[in-house]
Amino acid sequence: MLSGVPVWAQTVPAPVARSTGPAAARPAATPRPAATTPLAAPVSQTLIKTLRVEGSQRIEPETVLSYTKLRVGIPYTAETLDQALKDLQASDLFADYSISGVEDGNIVLRIRENPIINRVILEGNKALKADKITKEIKLAPRQIFTRTAVRQDIARIIELYRRQGRFAAVVDPKMVNLDQNRVDVVFEISEGPKSKVRQINILGNEVFSDDQIRGQMATKQARLFRLLSSATSYDQDRLSYDQQKLRQFYLTEGYADFRVTSAVAELTPDKKDFIITYVVEEGKRYKFGDVTVDSQIRDFDNKKLASTLPLKKGEWYNAKLVEDSVDNLSQTAGLFGYAFTEVNPEFQKDAETLTMGINFNIAEAKRTYVERVEINGNTQTQDKVVRREIRLAEGDAFNSFQVKRSQDRINSLGYFQDKMEIKQTPGSAPDRVILETNLEERSTGELQLSAGYSSLERFIIQANITQRNFRGKGQELRAGVNYSSYSKSIELGFTEPYLLDKNIAIGGDLFRRDFNSFNYVGNDRQTTYSQVSTGFQIRAGVPLTEFWSLSGRYGLSYDEVGLDQASYFTNGVCDPLKAGRYLCEALGNRWTSSIGYSLIYDTLNSRLRPTAGQRFSFSQDFAGLGGDVKYIRTRAEGSKFWNLGSGFIGSVIAEGGYIHSLEKSRGEGVDRVRITDRFYLGEPQFRGFDIRGVGPRVLRQQYVTAADGTQTVVTDRNQIVDDALGGRAYYLARAEIEIPLGSGARELGLRPTIYAQVGSLFGITRPLPTATFPTSVDANGNVTVLPINTPLFDSAGRQLYFNTYTPTGATETAQRATTCQTGYSDTLGGACAGAEANIIATSAIAPFKETFLGNSPRPRLSVGIGVNWNSPFGPLRIDLAKALLTQPGDDPKLITFNVGTQF
C-alpha cells in the first residue's frame, strides 16, 4: 500500500574490487567501514565485455539499455555505473534496478518494471464530480504507474479543492496489486468543509471606515445572512482582484498615491476559516489641475475637445473619469474615420498644491477606410442576412458610430450568442481596416409544449412552434395554440423582413381567439360575456432613416359577443336585472375592418434585452373601411434605458391611448365605444392591481336583512359583483431598476427589479341604472327595498300563469304552469277549461344597489419588487407590489405570479 508516496531507495550489490598490475604488491589496506554508496569503485578502469538485461517483460532489452550510456567495449568506473542507475531512475519505468558483474566486466542490469494501471478509483468526492477530477489528473488506465505521477496528481486534486475554497481537503493514495504486474490506484479523498473568510481586517485607513472599504471588495465576511453567497469562500485570485478594487475605489475618490502595502491571508489552525489583513496607505487627496488636449490630428480643435471632457479643473481627481475621457476621445476620432488612434494621458502631479494636471496626447493617425467586411461562424444564417445589418461597406470611410450601430443591429436579430463584437484589425495598408464579425449561432427554432399555472388564468396549456430564422433568410414563421379557462386561441403568422432583398418588411397573421370575461363573487369566478374573434391581418414596414421607420396594416375580424343564457337571460332575452344594462348592450355579432399605421423611432442597443437607448412609437387605427364598427384608436409608447454602471440597468417606460367613436349615439347612458373595443388596465401591465382592477366599473351590492328587520348592503369585496367597463383613454408609466446579482445567480437566470408605476383609465359615459326597485316604509320610518317580479313567458312568447290544484290522493295543494288566465289546459296554448282565476307567473329579482366608480383620470400609484427566474419548471415571474394611491372602486392585489414548464 502507498502511504505518503515515499521516495523509493534502490540498492545495488557492491562489486568485488580486484587489483592487477604493480598495485598487487602493496601491503593490504586496513579494512574500512562499508561505504554508503551503492557501488564500490573499481580500483582501475575495466572494459565492458558483455552487457545484458534481466527482468524485462514489456520493455525490450535494447530500450532499457538506450536509457543508459553503457555499451560493450567501453571502459567503466564507479561513476559511470552510478550514472546508469540514475538514468534508469529518471526514466520512471522501473520499480527496482541493480547492476552486477562489475568484477569481471560481464555487466548485468537487473530490473523490475513499474506496474500497469488497471483502474483509477476516486472515493469520498462529493463536492467535485469524478469527471472534473479525472480530466485534470495524469494517471489513467493502461498507463505506467509511477510514484512521481501519483504525487503530481495529489497536488492537482488538492489544488482543485482549494479553488473551491476547501483548504482542509486531504488525499490519501493507495495501491492494490493485481496479477500480471497490474495495480488499481485508489485516491481516498476527505474533502473537508469550505474554508470561509472569517474576518477582513483593514489597517492604515483613516478617511474611509472598515465597512466602507469592505463594501468595495468582492470577498465578503462569512455571516449568517450570507449563507447562500459564494463570495464568503476564500479565493487567492479574488484576493488580488480585491486589491485592484481598493485601488480603483481610492483613485475615484481623489487619492492618487494610494497603495496596498501588504495583503496577508492566514488559515486558522482548524483549516476552516481565513483571516485576511490588508495594510493600506491612503495618501493625500488630489484635485484636477489643468486639463488639456494635444492632438496631432489636424481636423481636431484642442480647446473644443478639452471642453467636452467630463474632467473639470478644481474637482476631485477621479481615475474613472480619466478612462472615460480616453474612450470619448477615441470614439470621437473614430467618428471622423480614424480607426487606430492612440490617446495617451500624461499626468503632472503637484504634491505641494495637491493637483493633478492631465494632458491628453492624441497621436498622429491617418484617416481609415474599410478594406473588407469579414463574416465568420454563420453556418446556417446566410451572409446577406448579416451584411444587410452592417452599416458600412467595403471602401467606406471608417466610422466608429456606424460600427457600434451595426453591432447592435446584429445582436438584436437574436440569431447569435450575446455580446457579439465587431473587431477592427489592421488591413493591408496603414489607412485600411478590416471589420471582422465573428458569430456563434444559437438555436432559432423553438418547439414548446408547456403547462403551467397563473394567478390570472389558472391552469394553462400552450403549444407553440416558432422559427425566427426560417431557411437562414431571417424570415419568421410561427404557429401557436393556447388554452386556459380564461382564453383559447390559435394563431399562424409569417414575416419576411426584406421583401425581394429590398428594405421592406411584410407579414401576415391568421387568428381565432375565444375570450371569456369574468368577475368574482367570493371565491367563485363567474363568466360574464364571451368574445370570439376570427380574422386576419396583413402588415408592411419601411425604414425612413437609420432610426425612423413607418409600418402600415390592414385587419379584418368577425366578433361574436354573447352571454350565458342560463345565467343572464329571461324569456330568451338578455335580462339587464341579471346581467346589467351595459353587458346586454354589448351583445351581437359584428365585422371590424380597420387600417392603421405606426411611426417608430428606435435607438435601442438590443430589441431583446436593451440596456441603453430609447424607443418611441405613435400608432393610429381607423375602423370603418366597411364593417359594422367605426372608430379611431390612437396610441403612443415611449421607453428609455440607461446603463447605470456596476450592472444596474435603469428604464422609464410610458404609454397612453385614446379611442374616439365615429358612430352615432346608441341611446342615453350608452357609450358610443363598445365594451369590447375599449382599453383595460390592471394585471399584468399595472402591477399592484388585479386583472382589470383599474378604471370605470359597476359594483353590484346585494341587500341583506338583519335580525331586527333593517336592511343593509354587503361591503365584503369578495361578495360584490364587480364588472369592469374599460375606458376610452388611459396612461401608464413605469420607472424600473434591474439589480445585478453574483455570477451564481446569473447562471440561474435570476433578474430582480424594483419599480414604481403610475397610471389611470377613464373617459366613458356614465351608464344608466339597471333598475329602480320598489320600496316600502314601515311605521318607524325604516325603508325596505323590495324585489322586482318579472312576468314569465313560454318559448312562444305567451304569458304564463300558476294554476292551483290538489293532486289525486293528496291533501295539500300544488301549482302548475299554464297559459290560461282562468282554468287550465293540458298543453301550453291549448283550450282552457274551468273558471278558477290563476296567478301570474313571475321571477323575483333580489334587490341590489349599483354604484358607478373609477371613471377618473386621477393617478393610481404602486411600488414593488419583482424577479424573473429561468427556473427548472420554466420561466417564472413573481411580483410583490403595493398600491399606494387608489381611487374608489379600484381592486388592488399584492402578489402576482406566473409559471410554466416545458416537457
Side-chain angles (χ1 to χ4, degrees):
M1 306 298 283
L2 297 176
S3 180
V5 195
V7 177
W8 290 2
Q10 307 300 331
T11 59
V12 180
V16 178
R18 296 179 181 270
S19 299
T20 58
R26 293 178 184 173
T30 305
R32 300 172 63 183
T36 58
T37 59
L39 294 173
V43 174
S44 62
Q45 287 189 353
T46 307
L47 297 178
I48 299 176
K49 300 176 182 178
T50 61
L51 184 62
R52 60 191 176 89
V53 177
E54 292 182 357
S56 61
Q57 297 177 351
R58 300 182 309 274
I59 306 174
E60 295 295 330
E62 291 79 5
T63 303
V64 177
L65 292 175
S66 69
Y67 286 101
T68 70
K69 296 179 180 179
L70 300 179
R71 300 293 184 271
V72 175
I74 67 172
Y76 66 92
T77 64
E79 288 77 12
T80 57
L81 297 178
D82 190 57
Q83 183 60 43
L85 292 176
K86 292 179 180 178
D87 292 340
L88 292 177
Q89 181 185 13
S91 69
D92 273 342
L93 296 174
F94 310 107
D96 195 10
Y97 39 85
S98 62
I99 298 178
S100 64
V102 178
E103 301 86 350
D104 55 3
N106 295 311
I107 303 300
V108 178
L109 298 180
R110 291 188 174 91
I111 62 171
R112 181 163 57 87
E113 297 174 356
N114 274 330
I116 294 294
I117 298 174
N118 180 55
R119 291 183 303 168
V120 177
I121 302 171
L122 302 174
E123 294 182 354
N125 57 305
K126 296 180 181 178
L128 277 177
K129 300 297 182 182
D131 57 344
K132 291 187 177 180
I133 297 178
T134 52
K135 69 181 180 182
E136 294 289 337
I137 62 178
K138 291 185 176 180
L139 292 180
R142 295 183 297 279
Q143 290 186 355
I144 296 175
F145 171 87
T146 67
R147 294 179 180 268
T148 301
V150 172
R151 286 193 294 269
Q152 292 174 349
D153 284 350
I154 290 173
R156 287 190 185 93
I157 295 173
I158 290 177
E159 179 61 27
L160 288 176
Y161 277 100
R162 287 187 173 182
R163 291 178 191 173
Q164 277 205 342
R166 298 180 184 273
F167 284 79
V170 176
V171 180
D172 185 16
K174 294 185 178 180
M175 183 179 69
V176 180
N177 291 312
L178 304 174
D179 56 358
Q180 299 179 355
N181 199 21
R182 296 175 302 132
V183 293
D184 283 344
V185 180
V186 182
F187 290 109
E188 292 186 352
I189 302 172
S190 175
E191 296 179 324
K194 266 195 173 184
S195 300
K196 301 290 186 179
V197 177
R198 180 189 299 176
Q199 186 69 32
I200 300 177
N201 299 319
I202 314 293
L203 302 179
N205 56 309
E206 296 179 358
V207 179
F208 297 103
S209 67
D210 290 1
D211 288 339
Q212 286 178 296
I213 296 176
R214 292 190 193 106
Q216 302 300 318
M217 298 179 181
T219 304
K220 303 298 181 185
Q221 298 178 127
R223 297 294 183 266
L224 185 60
F225 60 88
R226 296 195 182 107
L227 186 62
L228 300 178
S229 174
S230 61
T232 58
S233 299
Y234 174 76
D235 188 326
Q236 178 66 33
D237 295 335
R238 196 186 293 150
L239 188 67
S240 302
Y241 176 70
D242 284 339
Q243 295 182 58
Q244 298 178 10
K245 292 275 288 181
L246 286 181
R247 179 166 175 76
Q248 291 174 1
F249 170 65
Y250 270 91
L251 289 178
T252 57
E253 296 293 335
Y255 294 88
D257 296 328
F258 172 83
R259 66 192 186 101
V260 179
T261 58
S262 70
V264 179
E266 298 175 288
L267 186 61
T268 56
D270 58 5
K271 295 186 178 182
K272 291 183 178 180
D273 297 305
F274 273 89
I275 298 176
I276 302 176
T277 302
Y278 292 94
V279 180
V280 302
E281 289 183 6
E282 294 178 325
K284 300 295 184 180
R285 194 178 190 188
Y286 287 75
K287 291 185 176 181
F288 283 116
D290 293 328
V291 179
T292 58
V293 175
D294 184 11
S295 173
Q296 305 301 318
I297 302 175
R298 297 179 180 179
D299 295 343
F300 294 165
D301 186 320
N302 294 339
K303 291 184 178 180
K304 288 185 178 180
L305 284 178
S307 65
T308 62
L309 298 178
L311 315 180
K312 303 300 177 185
K313 183 177 181 180
E315 295 181 351
W316 292 114
Y317 173 77
N318 188 328
K320 180 65 169 56
L321 294 180
V322 177
E323 294 178 3
D324 293 343
S325 298
V326 172
D327 293 340
N328 291 342
L329 292 173
S330 298
Q331 292 177 7
T332 301
L335 292 175
F336 286 86
Y338 299 95
F340 305 107
T341 306
E342 292 186 7
V343 180
N344 299 311
E346 299 172 351
F347 298 89
Q348 297 94 34
K349 183 169 63 174
D350 191 333
E352 295 183 359
T353 61
L354 296 179
T355 58
M356 182 75 74
I358 302 178
N359 176 54
F360 293 94
N361 187 2
I362 304 177
E364 185 177 0
K366 293 184 177 180
R367 194 181 299 275
T368 313
Y369 297 88
V370 178
E371 181 173 339
R372 67 178 181 272
V373 177
E374 294 184 351
I375 300 175
N376 308 314
N378 53 318
T379 57
Q380 297 180 0
T381 306
Q382 297 182 7
D383 267 17
K384 68 178 183 180
V385 174
V386 181
R387 288 187 180 276
R388 65 196 185 195
E389 303 299 331
I390 297 178
R391 315 326 277 169
L392 290 170
E394 285 84 351
D396 289 351
F398 176 83
N399 187 301
S400 60
F401 173 79
Q402 297 287 14
V403 173
K404 179 65 169 60
R405 179 63 180 165
S406 302
Q407 182 176 302
D408 291 343
R409 289 179 66 94
I410 295 174
N411 281 327
S412 293
L413 292 174
Y415 305 159
F416 311 104
Q417 297 296 335
D418 295 337
K419 299 183 179 179
M420 184 282 303
E421 294 184 1
I422 299 177
K423 294 183 179 180
Q424 306 160 25
T425 58
S428 58
D431 63 343
R432 294 291 183 268
V433 62
I434 298 174
L435 300 181
E436 187 175 322
T437 307
N438 295 317
L439 306 171
E440 183 179 352
E441 301 232 38
R442 64 163 55 164
S443 176
T444 57
E446 300 173 0
L447 174 61
Q448 182 181 24
L449 298 175
S450 63
Y453 181 85
S454 166
S455 61
L456 171 62
E457 301 191 56
R458 299 298 188 261
F459 286 100
I460 307 168
I461 298 176
Q462 293 178 327
N464 295 283
I465 182 171
T466 304
Q467 176 51 261
R468 293 180 287 108
N469 189 12
F470 185 56
R471 299 186 298 166
K473 294 184 176 182
Q475 300 167 338
E476 181 175 313
L477 182 66
R478 62 186 181 276
V481 176
N482 173 73
Y483 178 87
S484 72
S485 55
Y486 178 64
S487 63
K488 306 171 185 65
S489 66
I490 180 170
E491 300 190 28
L492 302 172
F494 177 78
T495 302
E496 167 57 74
Y498 280 76
L499 181 64
L500 302 176
D501 291 331
K502 304 295 183 181
N503 204 353
I504 301 174
I506 190 168
D509 298 283
L510 292 172
F511 60 85
R512 179 179 174 87
R513 306 185 185 109
D514 187 346
F515 168 83
N516 291 324
S517 181
F518 58 87
N519 57 35
Y520 282 94
V521 177
N523 293 323
D524 297 328
R525 186 171 67 172
Q526 297 182 336
T527 298
T528 53
Y529 69 86
S530 63
Q531 179 181 355
V532 179
S533 298
T534 306
F536 70 90
Q537 184 185 80
I538 56 175
R539 57 189 183 280
V542 293
L544 302 179
T545 66
E546 177 62 29
F547 301 109
W548 286 95
S549 62
L550 178 67
S551 65
R553 56 193 167 271
Y554 171 77
L556 179 66
S557 63
Y558 182 66
D559 297 323
E560 302 170 78
V561 181
L563 283 169
D564 182 11
Q565 294 191 10
S567 301
Y568 300 107
F569 277 55
T570 300
N571 300 322
V573 180
C574 180
D575 190 345
L577 291 173
K578 296 180 178 179
R581 186 187 301 273
Y582 36 83
L583 292 183
C584 290
E585 293 164 352
L587 298 183
N589 301 334
R590 58 189 69 93
W591 286 93
T592 301
S593 175
S594 66
I595 188 171
Y597 73 93
S598 294
L599 183 64
I600 303 169
Y601 174 76
D602 190 347
T603 65
L604 297 178
N605 63 348
S606 173
R607 296 171 194 158
L608 303 178
R609 190 180 171 190
T611 59
Q614 54 194 350
R615 187 179 190 277
F616 171 79
S617 68
F618 179 82
S619 304
Q620 282 190 309
D621 289 278
F622 167 71
L625 196 67
D628 306 309
V629 180
K630 296 180 181 180
Y631 61 76
I632 295 178
R633 177 188 284 119
T634 304
R635 292 188 65 189
E637 299 178 354
S639 59
K640 186 172 180 61
F641 294 81
W642 297 271
N643 190 334
L644 303 179
S646 301
F648 289 89
I649 306 298
S651 63
V652 173
I653 301 172
E655 61 179 284
Y658 180 77
I659 182 169
H660 174 70
S661 176
L662 301 177
E663 299 181 22
K664 297 180 180 179
S665 174
R666 294 189 291 137
E668 183 183 2
V670 181
D671 198 276
R672 294 184 180 184
V673 179
R674 291 175 172 83
I675 193 172
T676 54
D677 297 324
R678 301 171 191 166
F679 297 112
Y680 291 88
L681 200 58
E683 183 191 346
Q685 321 99 292
F686 203 162
R687 303 158 191 168
F689 294 89
D690 205 346
I691 170 68
R692 301 188 171 191
V694 175
R697 61 208 327 101
V698 170
L699 300 183
R700 181 179 291 191
Q701 299 166 276
Q702 296 291 332
Y703 283 96
V704 293
T705 304
D708 61 358
T710 58
Q711 251 186 354
T712 58
V713 293
V714 297
T715 57
D716 184 359
R717 187 65 180 255
N718 291 328
Q719 298 182 24
I720 299 175
V721 177
D722 183 349
D723 285 324
L725 304 184
R728 284 192 182 190
Y730 85 101
Y731 63 87
L732 179 65
R734 181 175 76 248
E736 189 168 12
I737 296 178
E738 182 177 319
I739 303 172
L741 297 178
S743 58
R746 286 198 301 269
E747 290 176 1
L748 291 175
L750 289 173
R751 292 190 295 114
T753 60
I754 58 175
Y755 53 83
Q757 287 188 277
V758 61
S760 186
L761 178 71
F762 54 94
I764 66 169
T765 303
R766 185 185 188 94
L768 295 176
T770 297
T772 301
F773 288 89
T775 59
S776 65
V777 182
D778 62 14
N780 297 323
N782 297 319
V783 178
T784 301
V785 182
L786 303 176
I788 293 179
N789 294 314
T790 305
L792 297 178
F793 298 85
D794 67 1
S795 59
R798 296 181 289 254
Q799 187 168 351
L800 295 175
Y801 298 85
F802 286 133
N803 174 258
T804 302
Y805 74 105
T806 303
T808 304
T811 58
E812 296 182 358
T813 60
Q815 289 184 333
R816 52 191 175 183
T818 181
T819 54
C820 298
Q821 186 174 4
T822 58
Y824 180 74
S825 172
D826 290 334
T827 59
L828 295 179
C832 300
E836 65 274 16
N838 295 326
I839 303 172
I840 297 176
T842 60
S843 173
I845 302 298
F848 57 81
K849 176 184 177 182
E850 278 187 342
T851 308
F852 177 63
L853 298 168
N855 191 28
S856 170
R858 292 182 179 179
R860 284 78 161 173
L861 173 66
S862 69
V863 296
I865 59 175
V867 62
N868 286 303
W869 178 31
N870 292 332
S871 72
F873 311 102
L876 180 143
R877 169 84 191 188
I878 299 178
D879 284 285
L880 180 66
K882 173 66 175 178
L884 301 182
L885 288 180
T886 62
Q887 297 300 319
D890 291 344
D891 192 5
K893 188 174 184 180
L894 184 64
I895 300 175
T896 58
F897 68 92
N898 191 295
V899 64
T901 182
Q902 296 185 3
F903 55 89

